[in-house]
């Protein structure tokens, strides 16, 4: 298991990080301007629905990050290239933070909409479970001292979580139809007006840039840490 | 046949350290005993909530016993003897699953009608609960055993194992409290059997080193 | 029938590091091999590779010209007594032996198991009340439970005093006379007889 990343690659990452950070900042400013000032309030929920522009992209990317994590784990099992494991290890804390953002904004949104902070809505509950899947993955790296072993165990866990997500989603949905009639359908507006779609798209793009920036920073740290521990071992 | 011998051996081991056999079932009853103290409600509402309590208690009792599937044999070295015997690891894992289910879940299943008496549960309701538990508890045991095999090497495994296992138990909980879904539970148990078999076999290969 | 265990050009890799390499030796029936070497030179790793626990190695291990696979599922003629005693603390010695008999799938007379290492006197005691030397003897008594051609003993002499070492020596002699072979690791001066000595320091990459 030797690292196949040349040194100059780290320099390239290093050069991109400030550029991407600035881009992220710029896109967020534009997106937030559109979201907060230059878009109409919802006719049912009023201004409180503006939190959607922060909430929805966070939830999307929390899920997308977990898919990325799982596919990296699968790819690691197939190709045995340790970089895939580093991908998964780098994205995990970011995905966990995005999940927290989605959970917190979701419950802030829930307060005016449902009247409570938490409504055991199927999506929020699945999000909470997703957070625990991230937590389990991150903890594995810390709980197992032997790093080679930790790599294998955490990759297995990443895949288990991926199999588990649809099962949990299905059963929580089923449970939800049983216990929680129609109150939530307010949230999933059937179609979204173009004036709301534009800020949402800009915010999604901002989140994507934010995710990539954070990912590159974490990835750089993981590579350097691996280099240090290898240097210690020799 | 080692398969049979291994099951007998695990059952004897549970029987010799006699607390093992009773631990899960008595833990279950103790959790249920706590419930009337913390709910200031009429006995009728206990009856409504009983099957929910039961499933939470089962999940906790199974979690409590997970250290005995692979961990104790791994720590004292008996797992080495088992692994280099002439038998495929998949079958060793199956034997472990079965013996663990017998030594922990059968006492639980026997304890449930007794617990039902405490909460004034009718016989037919008890029957539904028991059928669901027979369908669902194997899956919970398999998953728990697989995760404990996966975390054999970590020092504080019993704590952080819980965080991995409980999200995996959510589907069992959701369908467990519904009287008509014993077939879904059976299906879940089968899916978890396949996944647990692969995971445990893979983990035992890893930790043998 | 004589048996032959060949180790050809073995290299052991642990945590991306090579522990030892170029190790080649041959063991035949009735032979005893002693493995010595400093701590960390790979004595235990070597025994665990032969037993089939460690699969991350380069080179070849042949038993009667058959390649050894994971956990020796094809051959299963190995008995490995590691540094863990394989004892359940809360059970008595006799109960432990009974559980082992299930794992080895034989039921032989208890005297045959307790005799060679003289453990009969504490058969009824709980393992938790035994001394380290007594535990080691109980652990080694596993060797007598079933027939197997190759004994792999990891540090069997630790905690044993001189006359107990002699008892183990005669047990191994009897095993070798019946056509078995023994490979054991040790770091003490007070060793059993051996036919061949492997000093791991000559192969280790420290």
């Amino acid at each position: 298991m030797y690292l196949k990343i040349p040194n100059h690659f780290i320099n390239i990452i290093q050069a991109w990080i400030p550029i991407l950070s600035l881009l992220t900042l710029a896109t967020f400013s534009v997106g937030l301007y559109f979201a907060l000032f230059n878009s109409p309030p919802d006719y049912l929920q009023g201004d409180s629905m503006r939190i959607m522009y922060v909430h929805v992209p966070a939830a999307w990317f929390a899920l997308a990050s977990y898919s990325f994590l799982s596919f990296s784990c699968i790819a690691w099992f197939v190709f045995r290239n340790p970089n895939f494991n580093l991908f998964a290890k780098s994205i995990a804390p970011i995905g966990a933070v995005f999940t927290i953002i989605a959970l917190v904004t979701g419950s802030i949104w829930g307060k005016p909409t449902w009247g409570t902070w938490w409504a055991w809505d199927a999506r929020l509950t699945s999000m909470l479970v997703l957070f625990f899947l991230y937590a389990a993955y991150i903890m594995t790296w810390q709980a197992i001292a032997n790093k080679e072993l930790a790599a294998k165990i955490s990759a297995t866990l990443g895949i288990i979580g991926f199999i588990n997500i649809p099962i949990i989603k299905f059963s929580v949905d089923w449970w939800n139809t049983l216990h929680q009639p129609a109150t939530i359908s307010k949230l999933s507006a059937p179609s979204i007006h173009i004036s709301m779609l534009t800020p949402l798209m800009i915010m999604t793009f901002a989140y994507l840039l934010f995710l990539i920036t954070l990912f590159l920073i974490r990835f750089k740290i993981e590579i350097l840490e691996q280099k240090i521990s290898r240097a210690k071992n020799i | 046949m080692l398969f049979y011998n291994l099951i007998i051996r695990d059952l004897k081991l549970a029987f010799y350290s006699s607390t093992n056999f009773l631990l899960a079932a008595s833990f279950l009853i103790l959790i249920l005993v706590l419930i009337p103290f913390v709910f200031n409600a009429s006995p009728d509402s206990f009856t409504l909530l009983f099957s929910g309590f039961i499933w939470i208690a089962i999940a906790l009792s199974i979690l409590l016993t997970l250290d005995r599937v692979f961990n104790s044999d791994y720590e004292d070295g008996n797992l080495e003897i088992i692994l280099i015997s002439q038998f495929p690891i998949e079958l060793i894992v199956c034997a472990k699953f079965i013996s663990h289910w017998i030594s922990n879940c059968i006492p639980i299943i026997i304890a449930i009608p007794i617990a039902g008496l405490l909460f004034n549960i009718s016989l037919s309701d008890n029957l539904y609960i028991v059928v669901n538990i027979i369908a669902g508890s194997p899956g919970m045991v398999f998953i728990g055993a697989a995760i404990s095999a996966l975390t054999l090497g970590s020092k504080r495994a019993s704590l952080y194992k819980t965080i991995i296992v409980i999200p995996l138990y959510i589907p069992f909980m959701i369908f467990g409290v519904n009287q008509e879904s014993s077939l879904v539970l059976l299906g879940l148990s089968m899916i978890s059997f396949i996944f647990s078999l692969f995971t445990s076999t893979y983990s035992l290969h890893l930790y043998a080193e | 029938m004589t048996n032959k265990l060949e180790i050809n050009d073995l290299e052991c890799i642990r945590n991306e590091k090579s522990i030892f390499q170029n190790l080649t030796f041959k063991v035949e029936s009735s032979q005893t091999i002693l493995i010595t070497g400093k701590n960390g030179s790979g004595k235990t790793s070597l025994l665990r590779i032969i037993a089939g626990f460690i699969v991350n190695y380069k080179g070849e291990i042949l038993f009667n010209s058959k390649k050894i696979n994971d956990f020796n599922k094809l051959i299963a003629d190995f008995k490995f007594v590691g540094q863990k005693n394989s004892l359940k603390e809360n059970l008595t010695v006799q109960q432990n032996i009974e559980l082992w008999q299930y794992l080895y799938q034989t039921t032989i007379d208890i005297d045959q198991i307790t005799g060679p290492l003289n453990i009969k006197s504490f058969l009824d005691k709980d393992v938790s009340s035994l001394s380290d030397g007594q535990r080691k003897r109980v652990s080694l008594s596993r060797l007598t439970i079933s027939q197997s051609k190759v004994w792999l003993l990891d540090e069997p002499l630790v905690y044993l005093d001189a006359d107990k070492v002699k008892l183990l020596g005669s047990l191994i002699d009897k095993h070798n006379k019946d056509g078995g072979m023994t490979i054991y690791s040790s770091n003490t001066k007070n060793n059993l007889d051996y036919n061949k000595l492997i000093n791991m320091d000559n192969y280790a990459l420290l």
Side-chain angles (χ1 to χ4, degrees), chain A residues 52-117:
Chain A
M52 173 193 83
Y53 301 119
V54 187
H55 169 80
V56 171
W60 281 345
F61 285 114
L63 267 172
S65 302
Y66 200 87
S67 316
F68 179 74
L69 187 152
S70 308
F71 280 117
S72 306
C73 292
I74 294 169
W76 180 79
F77 269 107
V78 176
F79 301 110
R80 293 284 164 169
N81 183 334
N83 289 334
F84 284 117
N85 233 328
L86 286 192
F87 284 165
K89 200 182 172 189
S90 317
I91 200 90
I94 305 168
V97 169
F98 275 37
T99 315
I100 293 175
I101 295 175
L103 284 172
V104 170
T105 53
S107 66
I108 292 174
W109 192 6
K111 186 65 184 166
T113 319
W114 303 323
T116 61
W117 295 105

Side-chain angles (χ1 to χ4, degrees), chain A residues 138-186:
Chain A
I138 296 167
M139 281 166 89
T140 309
W141 281 99
Q142 273 147 21
I144 295 170
N146 179 343
K147 287 301 157 219
E148 206 182 338
L149 200 58
K152 291 170 183 165
I153 301 299
S154 57
T156 317
L157 262 184
I159 295 170
I160 292 174
F162 194 59
I163 300 167
N164 199 31
I165 284 179
I167 297 177
I168 289 178
K169 186 80 179 68
F170 165 73
S171 41
V172 171
D173 275 342
W174 182 83
W175 160 75
N176 216 258
T177 55
L178 215 67
H179 297 265
Q180 303 252 309
T183 40
I184 293 93
S185 57
K186 240 199 279 181

Side-chain angles (χ1 to χ4, degrees), chain B residues 175-195:
Chain B
F175 289 104
V177 293
N178 187 276
Q179 288 194 340
E180 282 92 45
S181 48
S182 45
L183 278 179
V184 183
L185 285 170
L186 206 62
L188 281 174
S189 287
M190 282 172 186
I191 296 170
S192 37
F193 173 73
I194 295 165
F195 128 85

Side-chain angles (χ1 to χ4, degrees), chain B residues 51-74:
Chain B
S51 71
F53 293 154
I54 280 277
W55 277 90
I56 290 175
I58 284 180
L60 294 176
S61 329
I62 289 178
L63 275 173
L64 186 77
T65 60
L66 285 183
D67 278 350
R68 292 204 302 269
V69 196
F70 295 111
N71 290 58
S72 62
D73 279 341
Y74 173 73

Side-chain angles (χ1 to χ4, degrees), chain A residues 1-2 146 148 230 233-234, chain C residues 13-18 56:
Chain A
M1 295 225 306
Y2 288 103
N146 179 343
E148 206 182 338
R230 277 174 50 75
N233 268 331
I234 290 167
Chain C
I13 301 147
R14 310 284 283 157
N15 290 329
E16 306 180 24
K17 266 197 314 184
S18 192
N56 193 4

